[in-house]
Amino acid sequence: MLHPIESRTTSPAAAAQLLEHRRDVRPQPQPPGGPAGGAAGEDDPWHTGAACRRDEVGLFFAPSKEPTAARLSREEQAKQVCARCPVLLECREHALAQPEPYGVWGGLTAAERRVVLARRRRRDAELREAARVTAPARSRIAG
Protein backbone atom coordinates (compact mmCIF):
# COMPACT_ATOMS: atom_id res chain seq x y z
CA MET A 1 0.00 0.00 0.00
CA LEU A 2 1.31 3.45 -0.87
CA HIS A 3 1.85 6.07 1.77
CA PRO A 4 -0.93 8.70 1.57
CA ILE A 5 1.51 11.41 0.51
CA GLU A 6 3.01 9.21 -2.19
CA SER A 7 -0.37 8.28 -3.64
CA ARG A 8 -1.66 11.86 -3.80
CA THR A 9 -1.92 13.24 -7.32
CA THR A 10 -0.88 16.76 -8.10
CA SER A 11 -3.27 19.02 -9.98
CA PRO A 12 -1.94 20.66 -13.14
CA ALA A 13 -2.03 24.06 -11.39
CA ALA A 14 -0.09 22.73 -8.40
CA ALA A 15 2.44 21.03 -10.69
CA ALA A 16 2.95 24.27 -12.60
CA GLN A 17 3.52 26.11 -9.32
CA LEU A 18 6.09 23.50 -8.21
CA LEU A 19 7.90 23.76 -11.53
CA GLU A 20 7.97 27.55 -11.23
CA HIS A 21 9.41 27.22 -7.71
CA ARG A 22 12.14 24.90 -9.02
CA ARG A 23 12.89 27.35 -11.85
CA ASP A 24 13.20 30.13 -9.26
CA VAL A 25 15.75 28.05 -7.36
CA ARG A 26 17.60 26.90 -10.48
CA PRO A 27 19.85 29.57 -11.93
CA GLN A 28 20.43 30.16 -15.60
CA PRO A 29 23.51 28.36 -16.98
CA GLN A 30 26.75 30.28 -16.55
CA PRO A 31 29.86 30.09 -18.71
CA PRO A 32 32.57 27.65 -17.54
CA GLY A 33 34.32 28.97 -14.47
CA GLY A 34 31.26 30.89 -13.28
CA PRO A 35 30.18 34.45 -14.03
CA ALA A 36 32.78 36.53 -15.85
CA GLY A 37 35.12 33.52 -15.89
CA GLY A 38 35.66 33.58 -12.12
CA ALA A 39 34.65 31.14 -9.42
CA ALA A 40 31.31 31.53 -7.66
CA GLY A 41 31.73 33.99 -4.81
CA GLU A 42 30.47 33.73 -1.26
CA ASP A 43 27.67 36.18 -2.11
CA ASP A 44 26.30 33.85 -4.78
CA PRO A 45 23.40 31.61 -3.71
CA TRP A 46 24.29 27.97 -3.10
CA HIS A 47 22.28 26.85 -6.14
CA THR A 48 24.46 28.64 -8.69
CA GLY A 49 26.61 25.51 -8.77
CA ALA A 50 23.75 23.00 -8.83
CA ALA A 51 23.99 20.15 -11.34
CA CYS A 52 20.19 20.14 -11.81
CA ARG A 53 20.28 23.55 -13.48
CA ARG A 54 21.30 21.77 -16.68
CA ASP A 55 18.67 19.03 -16.50
CA GLU A 56 14.97 18.85 -17.18
CA VAL A 57 12.93 20.21 -14.27
CA GLY A 58 10.31 17.48 -14.77
CA LEU A 59 12.89 14.92 -13.72
CA PHE A 60 12.70 16.21 -10.15
CA PHE A 61 8.91 16.51 -9.76
CA ALA A 62 6.16 13.90 -10.32
CA PRO A 63 3.58 14.48 -13.00
CA SER A 64 -0.05 13.96 -12.03
CA LYS A 65 -1.07 10.29 -11.75
CA GLU A 66 2.44 8.98 -12.46
CA PRO A 67 2.59 5.16 -12.31
CA THR A 68 4.74 3.80 -9.49
CA ALA A 69 7.33 2.18 -11.78
CA ALA A 70 7.73 5.40 -13.75
CA ARG A 71 8.04 7.43 -10.52
CA LEU A 72 10.74 5.13 -9.15
CA SER A 73 12.67 5.29 -12.42
CA ARG A 74 12.37 9.09 -12.64
CA GLU A 75 13.43 9.51 -8.99
CA GLU A 76 16.46 7.27 -9.57
CA GLN A 77 17.48 9.39 -12.57
CA ALA A 78 17.08 12.55 -10.51
CA LYS A 79 19.18 11.04 -7.71
CA GLN A 80 21.93 10.26 -10.23
CA VAL A 81 22.02 13.95 -11.17
CA CYS A 82 22.14 14.82 -7.46
CA ALA A 83 24.97 12.35 -6.83
CA ARG A 84 27.32 14.35 -9.05
CA CYS A 85 26.20 17.72 -7.69
CA PRO A 86 28.75 19.87 -5.85
CA VAL A 87 26.01 21.51 -3.71
CA LEU A 88 24.16 18.32 -2.75
CA LEU A 89 24.38 18.97 0.99
CA GLU A 90 23.30 22.61 0.71
CA CYS A 91 20.33 21.57 -1.44
CA ARG A 92 19.37 18.82 1.01
CA GLU A 93 19.54 21.16 3.99
CA HIS A 94 17.46 23.74 2.11
CA ALA A 95 14.78 21.12 1.42
CA LEU A 96 14.81 19.97 5.05
CA ALA A 97 14.69 23.51 6.44
CA GLN A 98 11.82 24.69 4.21
CA PRO A 99 10.55 21.84 4.28
CA GLU A 100 10.03 21.13 0.59
CA PRO A 101 6.97 18.85 0.37
CA TYR A 102 7.49 17.58 -3.18
CA GLY A 103 10.21 16.48 -5.53
CA VAL A 104 13.77 15.23 -5.30
CA TRP A 105 16.03 17.69 -3.48
CA GLY A 106 19.57 16.95 -2.37
CA GLY A 107 19.29 13.35 -3.53
CA LEU A 108 16.26 12.63 -1.32
CA THR A 109 12.61 12.15 -2.20
CA ALA A 110 9.88 13.82 -0.15
CA ALA A 111 9.29 10.54 1.73
CA GLU A 112 13.01 10.15 2.48
CA ARG A 113 13.16 13.74 3.74
CA ARG A 114 10.24 13.06 6.08
CA VAL A 115 12.20 10.13 7.54
CA VAL A 116 15.30 12.30 8.03
CA LEU A 117 13.24 15.01 9.73
CA ALA A 118 11.55 12.46 12.01
CA ARG A 119 14.96 11.04 12.98
CA ARG A 120 16.28 14.54 13.71
CA ARG A 121 13.25 15.35 15.87
CA ARG A 122 13.69 12.07 17.76
CA ARG A 123 17.42 12.69 18.26
CA ASP A 124 16.80 16.26 19.44
CA ALA A 125 14.16 15.05 21.90
CA GLU A 126 16.56 12.41 23.24
CA LEU A 127 19.31 15.02 23.64
CA ARG A 128 16.95 17.39 25.47
CA GLU A 129 15.86 14.55 27.76
CA ALA A 130 19.46 13.54 28.44
CA ALA A 131 20.34 17.16 29.24
CA ARG A 132 17.33 17.44 31.54
CA VAL A 133 18.30 14.26 33.41
CA THR A 134 22.01 15.08 33.72
CA ALA A 135 21.61 18.76 34.70
CA PRO A 136 20.57 18.02 38.32
CA ALA A 137 23.38 15.49 38.69
CA ARG A 138 25.95 18.04 37.48
CA SER A 139 24.70 20.67 39.93
CA ARG A 140 24.94 18.17 42.83
CA ILE A 141 28.53 17.33 41.84
CA ALA A 142 29.50 20.99 41.47
CA GLY A 143 27.81 22.06 44.69
Side-chain angles (χ1 to χ4, degrees), residues 34-84:
E42 288 184 22
D43 293 337
D44 292 337
W46 61 265
H47 49 73
T48 58
C52 64
R53 68 190 174 125
R54 295 179 295 275
D55 291 289
E56 178 57 41
V57 174
L59 188 62
F60 297 90
F61 291 100
S64 182
K65 300 181 182 181
E66 181 179 35
T68 301
R71 176 180 54 83
L72 294 173
S73 175
R74 180 188 49 73
E75 289 174 346
E76 186 56 37
Q77 291 173 4
K79 287 178 178 186
Q80 289 173 5
V81 172
C82 293
R84 69 174 193 264

Side-chain angles (χ1 to χ4, degrees), residues 92-116:
R92 181 175 294 171
E93 288 305 316
H94 161 82
L96 292 166
Q98 285 300 317
E100 292 289 351
Y102 304 105
V104 175
W105 289 81
L108 299 176
T109 65
E112 291 166 337
R113 290 192 302 276
R114 285 190 299 275
V115 170
V116 170

